[in-house]
Amino acid sequence: MSGTNDTDGTKSSGGSEGSGGTPASDAAPGNGTGTTPPAPAAVRPWQPRPETAADIPSVRRINLAAFDTAAEADLVDALRRDPAAWLPGLSYVADAPDGTPAAHALLTRCHIDALPAVALAPCAVLPGYQKSGAGSAVIRALLEAARAAGERTAIVLGHPPYYPRFGFVSATARFGILPPQPWPDEAFMALSLDGSIPPRGTVRYAKAFGID
């Protein structure tokens, strides 16, 4: 997995995707204290919504701008082409005041052993809007959409100071969910979307992530 740019924030590279995602390595936006810096009044409130076909070029542009390589942008395109991974309605953007998409977050199908779950990754924000609350807004809206769709468990590989604000906790220590590779326990996290106890087992990501 490649790193992902944490939605409000800082770029991160590295191992898995944290965040992103699952892989989503979203570097957590913010200052590492577990709180989101206040957004400038000019960019508040953010307006998260499901992506439309017209947003696809903007989604690619956001991911290209947020990361040092095209890996995350190419990952999103590959996931969109995979009907076994892509979940309609679970790719979200957040619009800036002028209506231009400025942030993106994605959930795709993964499995915990044989049981379905969703993987958060990548998450990205245009550099000019990082640390403005855009990343947090789009992730919260996306997770709510997943709840409404009946998804039960979300997985993310990301920065420990950032994702707990959404309810993520250590996947292995809390739930006995294992990563497919030896990732740090504190960075590999899970969230129960419906309040139930997630299943134990090993996470399997979509083929596009390239994780065996």
Side-chain angles (χ1 to χ4, degrees):
M1 278 182 290
S2 58
T4 67
N5 166 286
D6 243 342
T7 66
D8 288 2
T10 60
K11 291 184 182 180
S12 90
S13 61
S16 25
E17 198 140 69
S19 85
T22 36
S25 349
D26 252 42
N31 53 15
T33 63
T35 60
T36 303
V43 297
R44 227 184 306 196
W46 288 97
Q47 301 177 40
R49 58 176 176 81
E51 74 163 39
T52 67
D55 295 318
I56 291 175
S58 294
V59 168
R60 183 168 178 83
R61 177 173 58 89
I62 291 167
N63 281 280
L64 287 172
F67 299 102
D68 293 331
T69 74
E72 284 76 17
D74 291 345
L75 172 62
V76 174
D77 290 343
L79 289 165
R80 191 181 280 113
R81 292 191 297 267
D82 182 358
W86 192 258
L87 299 170
L90 294 185
S91 178
Y92 261 56
V93 297
D95 290 337
D98 65 359
T100 302
H104 173 248
L106 178 64
L107 286 168
T108 52
R109 178 63 67 215
C110 68
H111 291 83
I112 302 172
D113 284 350
L115 297 177
V118 289
L120 176 60
C123 302
V125 176
L126 288 175
Y129 289 104
Q130 290 174 9
K131 298 186 179 180
S132 69
S136 292
V138 75
I139 289 176
R140 289 187 194 282
L142 178 61
L143 292 172
E144 285 302 319
R147 286 188 181 95
E151 297 294 341
R152 302 186 64 184
T153 306
I155 299 294
V156 69
L157 175 62
H159 289 263
Y162 182 61
Y163 288 96
R165 72 187 67 185
F166 307 109
F168 284 94
V169 297
S170 171
T172 301
R174 182 69 65 86
F175 300 124
I177 300 172
L178 303 176
Q181 295 179 353
W183 297 332
D185 285 348
E186 67 274 14
F188 180 61
M189 291 172 270
L191 168 65
S192 173
L193 293 167
D194 65 355
S196 65
I197 298 175
R200 298 171 67 91
T202 300
V203 173
R204 294 185 295 108
Y205 290 100
K207 185 179 296 185
F209 284 105
I211 302 168
D212 296 328

